[in-house]
């Protein structure tokens, strides 16, 4: 069984992001970049399925600039067998990414696609669902447990009322939640081994996909700073301020 794992290069979650002075986006110059944490969980889950003997090959895919090769190397250091980079310098919106992945699914024919439920930069939470619609595959989102038995994927996911278990006929698409697993620490020997693994470089035009943006960003701004709190003498004063100043009562 082949597993396809899309991974995204994002600003590291420990970095405090800053908005550009012209408010056209987030400033990523000289900023530490890393793999999207949810995608890292997806890679870990795919590698665990391979270690159990369920999967035979794990293929990592990234769409974006040439530096995304570093993200693919990280995925291969975790345990992915090879990588595919869809190189594109333009802004890639969720629908464009889903179309690129659909073209790669048609080419690679994986039995399972595991990807993070969302990226921490845009928080769109759209690619997995869009890809499932384009491929006409069954999907299970926000997975916190994945089992593959007899050609079916049994996925447990969190819902408002508790836990829900779905049975998906393969090929299928699964998006990962935080509680699915804890990614392993990448060791130096595995980093060195990853440098010898193959990364195929393709362009959107090679896949016959138009990645032109459908949505235009008008302005990006930082959230307003919170005002300092105040102390009040009694409950009556608190109620009066909530009613007359905060206008919440």
């Amino acid at each position: 069984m082949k597993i396809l794992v899309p991974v995204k290069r994002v600003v590291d979650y420990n970095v405090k992001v800053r908005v550009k002075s012209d408010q056209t986006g987030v400033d990523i110059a000289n900023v530490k970049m890393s793999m999207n944490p949810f995608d890292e969980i997806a890679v870990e889950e795919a590698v665990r399925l391979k270690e159990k003997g369920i999967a035979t090959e794990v293929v990592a895919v990234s769409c974006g600039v040439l530096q995304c090769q570093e993200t693919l190397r990280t995925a291969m250091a975790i345990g992915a067998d090879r990588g595919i980079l869809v190189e594109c310098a333009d802004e890639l919106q969720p629908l464009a990414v889903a179309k690129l992945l659909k073209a790669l699914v048609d080419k690679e024919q994986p039995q399972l696609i595991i990807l993070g439920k969302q990226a921490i930069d845009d928080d769109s939470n759209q690619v997995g669902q869009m890809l499932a619609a384009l491929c006409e595959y069954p999907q299970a989102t926000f997975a916190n447990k994945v089992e593959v038995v007899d050609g079916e994927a049994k996925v447990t996911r969190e819902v408002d009322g508790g836990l829900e278990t779905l049975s998906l006929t393969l090929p299928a698409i699964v998006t990962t939640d935080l509680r699915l697993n804890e990614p392993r620490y990448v060791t130096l020997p595995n980093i060195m081994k990853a440098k010898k693994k193959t990364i195929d470089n393709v362009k959107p035009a090679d896949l016959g996909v138009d990645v032109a943006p459908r949505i235009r960003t008008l302005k990006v701004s930082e959230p307003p700073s919170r005002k300092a709190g105040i102390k009040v003498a009694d409950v009556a004063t608190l109620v009066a301020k909530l009613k007359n100043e905060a206008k919440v009562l």
Side-chain angles (χ1 to χ4, degrees):
M1 184 177 77
K2 182 189 294 186
I3 301 178
L4 191 73
V5 186
V7 294
K8 186 176 184 181
R9 179 176 181 262
V10 299
V11 176
D12 190 88
Y13 68 92
N14 288 312
V15 174
K16 178 177 172 55
V17 295
R18 299 185 183 277
V19 175
K20 292 180 180 178
S21 57
D22 58 3
Q23 295 187 318
T24 57
V26 173
D27 188 5
I28 60 172
N30 301 317
V31 172
K32 181 183 178 183
M33 308 292 284
S34 61
M35 186 190 302
N36 178 46
F38 291 104
D39 296 340
E40 195 172 0
I41 292 170
V43 176
E44 173 67 26
E45 190 65 22
V47 172
R48 290 187 184 187
L49 289 173
K50 183 185 174 185
E51 290 173 343
K52 292 177 182 177
I54 297 170
T56 56
E57 185 181 27
V58 176
V59 182
V61 179
S62 190
C63 305
V65 295
L66 187 62
Q67 289 86 342
C68 290
Q69 287 186 349
E70 300 169 7
T71 308
L72 289 172
R73 294 292 179 195
T74 302
M76 291 188 288
I78 295 173
D81 297 292
R82 59 187 174 91
I84 301 174
L85 171 62
V86 183
E87 187 180 350
C88 180
D90 300 328
E91 176 193 1
L92 291 174
Q93 294 178 350
L95 181 59
V97 175
K99 288 180 177 179
L100 291 171
L101 294 176
K102 166 65 165 61
L104 289 174
V105 167
D106 292 341
K107 180 181 178 183
E108 294 288 333
Q109 294 294 308
Q111 285 70 53
L112 186 61
I113 301 100
I114 307 178
L115 64 161
K117 69 173 184 178
Q118 65 193 74
I120 62 172
D121 52 0
D122 57 15
D123 278 333
S124 292
N125 182 22
Q126 293 176 342
V127 173
Q129 293 87 330
M130 287 178 171
L131 180 59
L134 292 173
C135 294
E136 297 184 353
Y137 285 175
Q139 63 172 314
T141 56
F142 315 137
N144 67 5
K145 184 178 180 182
V146 177
E147 296 176 302
V148 179
V149 181
D150 298 330
E152 289 187 341
K154 296 188 183 299
V155 180
T156 303
R157 58 193 297 271
E158 293 185 5
V159 294
D160 291 340
L163 298 177
E164 177 183 61
T165 301
L166 303 175
S167 180
L168 310 178
T169 302
L170 300 180
I173 292 172
V174 175
T175 70
T176 63
D177 208 344
L178 281 174
R179 281 166 286 280
L180 179 59
N181 62 52
E182 184 175 343
R184 69 193 66 189
Y185 178 77
V186 179
T187 61
L188 182 59
N190 286 336
I191 293 174
M192 300 306 294
K193 290 177 183 177
K195 292 182 178 181
K196 299 179 181 178
K197 294 181 180 180
T198 305
I199 295 180
D200 297 325
N201 196 317
V202 298
K203 306 281 187 182
D206 300 333
L207 301 173
V209 177
D210 177 17
V211 296
R214 266 62 174 180
I215 300 172
R216 183 164 58 94
T217 302
L218 300 179
K219 184 176 73 171
V220 177
S221 58
E222 293 187 8
S225 57
R226 296 179 61 180
K227 296 180 180 178
I230 60 171
K231 291 183 178 181
V232 294
D234 49 39
V235 174
T237 307
L238 172 62
V239 173
K241 286 186 175 293
L242 290 175
K243 184 176 181 179
N244 301 322
E245 297 181 17
K247 306 291 185 182
V248 296
L249 292 178

